[in-house]
Amino acid sequence: MEFWRIGFLYLTGFCLLSVSCESEKSCEQPTVSMLKAGFYSVQDSIPEAASVDNFTVYGIGRADSLLYDQANSVVNFDLLLSPSGDTTGFVLTLGAKTDTVVFLYSRELHLLSMECGFVTYYYIENINNTSNAIDSIKVVNKKVTTGDEENIQIYL
Amino acid sequence: MRRIFKYTFSLFMFAWLTAGAQTNGLDIGGLRFGFDISRIAVPFLEDGRVEYDGSIDLRINKDLYPVIEVGWGDFETEKINFKYRSTGYSLRAGIDKNYLKKDNADEMGMFFVGVRYGLSFFKHESPFLKISDPYWGDYYGAIPIKNLHAHWLEFTTGIRVEIIKNIYLGWSLRGRLLLNKSDDTNMSPYYIPGYGKVSGNTNMGFRYSIFYQLPLKG
């Protein structure tokens, strides 16, 4: 047994020395859920990506803060939904015409990781819009996350 | 896949027990109570983490020791934008096989290899969280307490040495394979009592325990 007593002490020391310390990791992924939209037009019954000039967007109630300010050649864009309510509206200016788009959605809090914290995932339930420049809006992916997948297609 | 693990584990246990009983016969020996003293260091190594863990093992023949381990764990962490807390109990049952050559069967010192099936019932919550939104304004909320469970397989090896009569010290290494954990759409469990932190489906652990042996002879 003496051999094992010595071995025990040796290995105990080894194990105590090799207690690993965790290093603080940093967040290395997107932490904002963005609604991703694309412009489309229908040519010969086939949807095609469309480009918009003089594109301006702001949230209803936030006319003082533009999300896009007279941007040109816009094919797709991102919108921030409000994490504090179930409805968010935007005013979109497309060239010389202006439309209002209101999103109705449900929300889900989601822990990305210990390093990144929480984000809100949104589930689009309905969209109401005016139709000055916009012909229709199609929801292609109702779940709005931090990913890159397109959520809505705006047909002009 | 999980079923395969369960059946494999059960068969393994059954084969091991019957093989041991056939070769050596049942010979009930010492009953040993253990307390994991390495858990005392845990709150000093990691703020907000408190754990207690104990075990009972019984020698059923020269080299086989069925073992039951029970534990309690509490983990709380505060980040810039949220707090997370997980607390609950664990139960682990399995068997150790001694590979240390003994002069007589009553010696309880051992170099062992063992397996455990672990089960934890726990609850977690986020009592505070903040989502920063520079455009619409920050959101403040919380995730209420949810009751969860998890189970895993644990493979272990280590040694136990009698320091003074009927008092043993021993360490063991643990390799764990998470079989399943409760689903929570808001947040996946980060800490499972008895298992530890969840990162993928495996983790490693270390235990250092003191044991008291009740001298029994069947």
Side-chain angles (χ1 to χ4, degrees):
Chain A
M1 285 299 286
E2 195 55 33
F3 170 78
W4 287 100
R5 280 181 212 277
I6 293 165
F8 174 76
L9 291 171
Y10 175 77
L11 286 168
T12 297
F14 173 76
C15 288
L16 290 174
L17 282 173
S18 63
V19 169
S20 59
C21 295
E22 281 190 22
S23 56
E24 277 289 316
K25 296 174 189 168
S26 57
C27 178
E28 292 174 350
Q29 62 176 305
T31 57
V32 179
S33 291
M34 302 276 239
L35 185 148
K36 293 182 168 48
F39 289 118
Y40 292 83
S41 61
V42 178
Q43 305 288 335
D44 300 325
S45 303
I46 299 168
E48 286 184 0
S51 175
V52 170
D53 291 330
N54 194 22
F55 177 63
T56 299
V57 181
Y58 63 86
I60 292 175
R62 291 303 316 273
D64 58 327
S65 182
L66 302 179
L67 291 167
Y68 290 83
D69 186 7
Q70 296 182 324
N72 290 318
S73 304
V74 175
V75 177
N76 44 56
F77 62 102
D78 300 336
L79 292 174
L80 282 166
L81 299 175
S82 170
S84 303
D86 294 328
T87 305
T88 304
F90 296 92
V91 175
L92 282 65
T93 299
L94 302 94
K97 296 177 181 175
T98 297
D99 276 311
T100 300
V101 180
V102 177
F103 296 92
L104 287 86
Y105 50 84
S106 57
R107 291 168 289 151
E108 179 184 285
L109 295 168
H110 182 76
L111 180 62
L112 284 175
S113 69
M114 281 289 145
E115 295 77 33
C116 299
F118 282 88
V119 293
T120 307
Y121 287 166
Y122 304 93
Y123 296 86
I124 302 167
E125 291 176 351
N126 200 6
I127 300 174
N128 296 321
N129 63 279
T130 59
S131 296
N132 297 315
I134 297 171
D135 177 72
S136 62
I137 299 177
K138 182 181 176 185
V139 178
V140 290
N141 178 23
K142 67 180 289 185
K143 187 175 183 179
V144 178
T145 69
T146 55
D148 292 329
E149 209 171 336
E150 189 173 71
N151 299 110
I152 60 168
Q153 295 178 341
I154 299 176
Y155 288 87
L156 306 175
Chain B
M1 192 69 177
R2 286 178 208 130
R3 278 188 183 173
I4 293 169
F5 273 123
K6 278 184 200 172
Y7 292 138
T8 306
F9 180 68
S10 304
L11 280 172
F12 179 54
M13 295 270 288
F14 179 74
W16 204 354
L17 275 169
T18 49
Q22 280 168 359
T23 50
N24 300 315
L26 282 177
D27 174 21
I28 307 297
L31 182 67
R32 191 159 44 185
F33 297 88
F35 177 70
D36 183 354
I37 51 179
S38 63
R39 299 304 95 188
I40 295 168
V42 166
F44 300 101
L45 294 171
E46 188 170 6
D47 196 29
R49 185 168 173 173
V50 180
E51 294 173 342
Y52 299 103
D53 215 273
S55 68
I56 301 173
D57 70 338
L58 175 71
R59 188 173 63 75
I60 59 167
N61 72 17
K62 191 180 173 189
D63 292 318
L64 284 178
Y65 298 73
V67 55
I68 291 174
E69 297 169 333
V70 291
W72 177 85
D74 183 64
F75 176 80
E76 188 169 2
T77 186
E78 184 169 353
K79 305 287 185 183
I80 296 170
N81 286 332
F82 71 99
K83 286 182 184 175
Y84 175 85
R85 187 176 185 201
S86 175
T87 183
Y89 298 91
S90 68
L91 176 69
R92 303 180 300 278
I95 194 161
D96 292 331
K97 182 171 173 60
N98 171 56
Y99 287 96
L100 176 63
K101 198 171 181 181
K102 297 177 176 182
D103 296 330
N104 64 71
D106 287 337
E107 281 181 14
M108 294 278 280
M110 58 201 287
F111 164 73
F112 65 91
V113 174
V115 289
R116 309 275 186 276
Y117 171 76
L119 186 64
S120 178
F121 292 96
F122 62 105
K123 54 190 177 183
H124 77 171
E125 64 173 322
S126 177
F128 162 79
L129 68 91
K130 174 188 167 187
I131 294 173
S132 299
D133 188 321
Y135 195 74
W136 294 108
D138 295 344
Y139 171 80
Y140 296 88
I143 304 290
I145 291 172
K146 283 180 187 156
N147 291 309
L148 305 168
H149 64 271
H151 62 123
W152 66 93
L153 280 183
E154 200 162 308
F155 302 93
T156 180
T157 185
I159 56 178
R160 286 172 196 166
V161 170
E162 189 171 27
I163 300 301
I164 54 175
K165 190 167 175 56
N166 293 329
I167 301 292
Y168 292 75
L169 280 175
W171 58 260
S172 65
L173 293 173
R174 308 291 175 114
R176 304 185 187 97
L177 176 67
L178 188 61
L179 299 177
N180 192 26
K181 63 183 189 312
S182 298
D183 202 18
D184 181 349
T185 52
N186 295 122
M187 51 184 188
S188 185
Y190 177 68
Y191 170 84
I192 298 170
Y195 178 84
K197 289 181 182 175
V198 180
S199 177
N201 286 328
T202 59
N203 76 9
M204 293 289 290
F206 170 74
R207 296 187 177 277
Y208 190 100
S209 300
I210 188 165
F211 302 88
Y212 172 67
Q213 180 194 336
L214 280 179
L216 293 178
K217 182 67 187 171

